Amino acid sequence: MYAQMVESEGNRGDLTAQERAFQDRIDAGEKIEPKEWMPEGYRKTLIRQMGQHAHSEIVGQLPEGNWITRAPTLERKAILLAKVQDEAGHGLYLYSAAETLGVTRDELFEALHSGKMKYSSIFNYPTLTWADMGAVGWLVDGAAIMNQVPLQRTSYGPYSRAMIRICKEESFHQRQGYAIMMKMAAGTPEQKEMAQDALNRFWYPALMMFGPSDKDSVHSEQSMAWKIKMNTNDELRQKFVNETVPQAELLGLTVPDENLTYDEQTGDYSFSEPDWAEFFEVIKGNGPCNRERLQARRDAWSEGEWFRDGLTAYAEKSAKRRAAAALAAE
């Protein structure tokens, strides 16, 4: 998923009878719906996670939108445009799901623009070549799928249902990215070199998408108890490496890790940890494109104010006309 550094409030200590009944429902696999009682910590954690997830979908359009006008063919342009449109839709699904918990969309945007709410660290890296569109689809969307498929079973009903369609579309995005890498890797030596360079630059940022190592992830226990989070960071990272390395080998590309080895007994790959100092610097706002990405979102918000005002005025006038018509009909 695209939500990193999610903090959880509450603990597994003494529970009230109401909290115990709530946890029993979660343990039984029931879905929690918007108007039902829930602990405040559960609500806040969901808002934070869904908000960060939604922001990541919206900010994630920027590095790809950068290549829409420069795609190598008209077909590639149409495919990329459709993908960026999908990401916008994902953001809207998630903002709508978060709104069922009592937070407004304006409040979520304010939290993003002020830096109070984060988005995935991966979107603070530049997309320098067309091959990066392949790497983003293959690696970034691949990592997202690894996180998001389990969220179809998450305990909050609106979030769980939103993830069903999102995962279907993200799976297509991953295949589309891999298709680009296949084309590049089978092309000229220069194209294959470009594909390898994209893999080199996006490999470790993709591993960082799962969040810090379990030993440094201090808030996972409660989120997993509430089934807001379904797997640990390290479990998902290992699964991603296990599935992605054979794909790189099929492409004829080399994963940029000298320590990468395969254990035949466990079926797992051993691999180097990402540079966690870099990860935390990016999370703090000091990545290659943090300021550029966030300013782009602030600019879009301010430049779209006239349109939002127009929509509001139209809605108010329409409501008045309907009220007048209803009164006249009485």
Side-chain angles (χ1 to χ4, degrees), residues 196-261:
Q196 181 64 59
D197 176 65
L199 172 57
N200 292 346
R201 287 182 288 106
F202 277 93
W203 175 253
Y204 285 105
L207 294 186
M208 294 177 192
M209 285 182 64
F210 299 97
S213 62
D214 291 346
K215 66 179 186 300
D216 297 319
S217 184
V218 297
H219 301 291
S220 291
E221 182 179 356
Q222 181 63 77
S223 290
M224 292 186 71
W226 279 330
K227 294 186 180 178
I228 294 174
K229 183 175 181 177
M230 307 301 290
N231 301 90
T232 72
N233 299 344
D234 286 342
E235 286 174 353
L236 292 172
R237 194 170 8 254
Q238 182 68 64
K239 185 177 180 182
F240 173 76
V241 172
N242 288 350
E243 294 192 8
T244 307
V245 171
Q247 295 170 358
E249 293 173 347
L250 182 62
L251 291 172
L253 301 179
T254 303
V255 172
D257 184 353
E258 295 179 353
N259 298 318
L260 187 69
T261 57

Side-chain angles (χ1 to χ4, degrees), residues 96-164:
S96 296
E99 286 176 316
T100 65
L101 291 163
V103 64
T104 68
R105 200 167 303 191
D106 285 358
E107 289 172 332
L108 291 172
F109 280 129
E110 170 57 29
L112 170 65
H113 298 157
S114 67
K116 293 179 181 177
M117 191 173 280
K118 305 297 184 181
Y119 54 88
S120 179
S121 61
I122 192 71
F123 299 120
N124 291 308
Y125 289 86
T127 47
L128 305 177
T129 71
W130 173 249
D132 289 9
M133 293 299 94
V136 167
W138 173 35
L139 299 176
V140 177
D141 291 324
I145 292 167
M146 205 67 68
N147 268 309
Q148 292 171 2
V149 166
L151 290 176
Q152 294 175 105
R153 306 191 311 274
T154 194
S155 61
Y156 189 57
Y159 194 18
S160 172
R161 291 187 288 272
M163 293 313 304
I164 294 172

Side-chain angles (χ1 to χ4, degrees), residues 30 53-54 184 251 276 298:
E30 295 183 29
H53 192 166
M184 299 289 287
L251 291 172
W276 292 117
R298 292 181 183 131

Side-chain angles (χ1 to χ4, degrees), residues 24-185:
D24 288 344
R25 291 188 61 198
I26 298 262
D27 294 342
E30 295 183 29
K31 298 296 183 190
I32 307 302
E33 299 300 337
K35 294 184 178 181
E36 297 175 333
W37 183 88
M38 63 188 70
E40 185 63 13
Y42 178 86
R43 188 183 76 87
K44 288 183 177 180
T45 300
L46 275 170
I47 290 174
R48 192 175 292 111
Q49 180 165 317
M50 284 193 287
Q52 291 181 9
H53 192 166
H55 295 329
S56 298
E57 299 283 358
I58 297 301
V59 176
Q61 297 175 98
L62 297 175
E64 293 178 314
N66 180 47
W67 279 94
I68 290 175
T69 59
R70 296 185 287 164
T73 68
L74 183 59
E75 180 183 28
R76 291 294 186 187
K77 187 190 299 288
I79 292 171
L80 183 57
L81 187 61
K83 180 184 178 184
V84 171
Q85 179 177 282
D86 284 348
E87 306 295 0
H90 298 173
L92 293 177
Y93 302 154
L94 293 163
Y95 285 131
S96 296
E99 286 176 316
T100 65
L101 291 163
V103 64
T104 68
R105 200 167 303 191
D106 285 358
E107 289 172 332
L108 291 172
F109 280 129
E110 170 57 29
L112 170 65
H113 298 157
S114 67
K116 293 179 181 177
M117 191 173 280
K118 305 297 184 181
Y119 54 88
S120 179
S121 61
I122 192 71
F123 299 120
N124 291 308
Y125 289 86
T127 47
L128 305 177
T129 71
W130 173 249
D132 289 9
M133 293 299 94
V136 167
W138 173 35
L139 299 176
V140 177
D141 291 324
I145 292 167
M146 205 67 68
N147 268 309
Q148 292 171 2
V149 166
L151 290 176
Q152 294 175 105
R153 306 191 311 274
T154 194
S155 61
Y156 189 57
Y159 194 18
S160 172
R161 291 187 288 272
M163 293 313 304
I164 294 172
R165 178 167 179 172
I166 290 174
C167 286
K168 289 179 180 178
E169 293 178 348
E170 291 288 8
S171 295
F172 176 79
H173 298 168
Q174 193 270 347
R175 291 195 295 273
Q176 177 256 343
Y178 193 69
I180 292 176
M181 296 299 277
M182 289 179 68
K183 192 75 171 180
M184 299 289 287

Side-chain angles (χ1 to χ4, degrees), residues 282-323:
V282 174
I283 290 292
K284 290 176 184 176
N286 299 319
C289 298
N290 283 72
R291 292 169 182 82
E292 174 187 339
R293 301 287 192 243
L294 195 52
Q295 190 58 49
R297 290 309 310 156
R298 292 181 183 131
D299 290 345
W301 178 257
S302 60
E303 292 170 6
E305 183 176 7
W306 67 272
F307 185 68
R308 295 194 302 277
D309 289 345
L311 288 176
T312 301
Y314 178 78
E316 291 174 349
K317 288 181 180 180
S318 296
K320 289 178 180 178
R321 285 196 296 268
R322 287 195 297 271

